[in-house]
Amino acid sequence: MVLVSGSGTNLQALLDAATDPAYGVEVVAVGADRPAITGLERAERAGVPTFVRRVGDFGDRAAWDADLARTVAEYQPDLVVLAGFMKLVGQEFLARHGSRTVNTHPALSPSFPGMHGPAEALAHGVKVTGATLFVVDAGVDTGPIVAQTAVPVLDDDDVESLHERIKAAERSMLVEAVGRMAREGFTITDRKVRFGRE
Ligand code: GRF
């Protein structure tokens, strides 16, 4: 199960990888917090069921979160991948799916959490940044780290060129790590995520 909010290039990388049975992953559904996005089109093109849950269609954020959690549960996913999903999930979602939900963030955690990872890395003048896959918790990009990948920041980068370089590395990291989580399982001990079953 993958949740998206935008262009869905990370989703596409997973859909492409999943066409090989040896990869061991089936994308059972794709959900979004907004309609008419390229991410949903990618899912439809791949023949994967989609759904949309807009915060504005619910009385409050908690009601949205509970409905999202219920909808995700209907598909009984082993893993929920937030791939450019621009909403924080809430208490109910975390209670039901927290331990199997991962999110990808375009920075090297714990640096630059939040919505502007590439811009903040550029503004800070770091020479290396990257992407982080982590298991979601109640914080903003704070959960146990599954995988990280580094990319250089070049002298003439702007936010867009830097984010594109990050996204290329991010997609490979995501495909590799999600495949291993699915095939090998994973454990979390004192924030340390390890592949393999107990
Ligand atoms: C990714 O860099 C993700 O980490 C960030 O937004 C981007 C989403 O890209 N939150 P896409 O929708 O997968 O193309």
Side-chain angles (χ1 to χ4, degrees), residues 3-13 37 39 42 82-86 103-107 114-115 118 130-132 141 163-164 166-168 170-171 173-174:
L3 300 183
V4 295
S5 297
S7 64
T9 60
N10 282 289
L11 164 66
Q12 188 67 57
I37 53 172
R42 292 177 191 277
L82 311 185
F85 186 60
M86 304 307 274
N103 190 6
T104 173
H105 175 59
M115 305 273 283
T132 301
D141 302 325
H163 197 180
E164 279 310 311
I166 293 170
K167 283 179 68 168
E170 185 179 27
R171 289 192 285 270
M173 171 192 73
L174 183 70

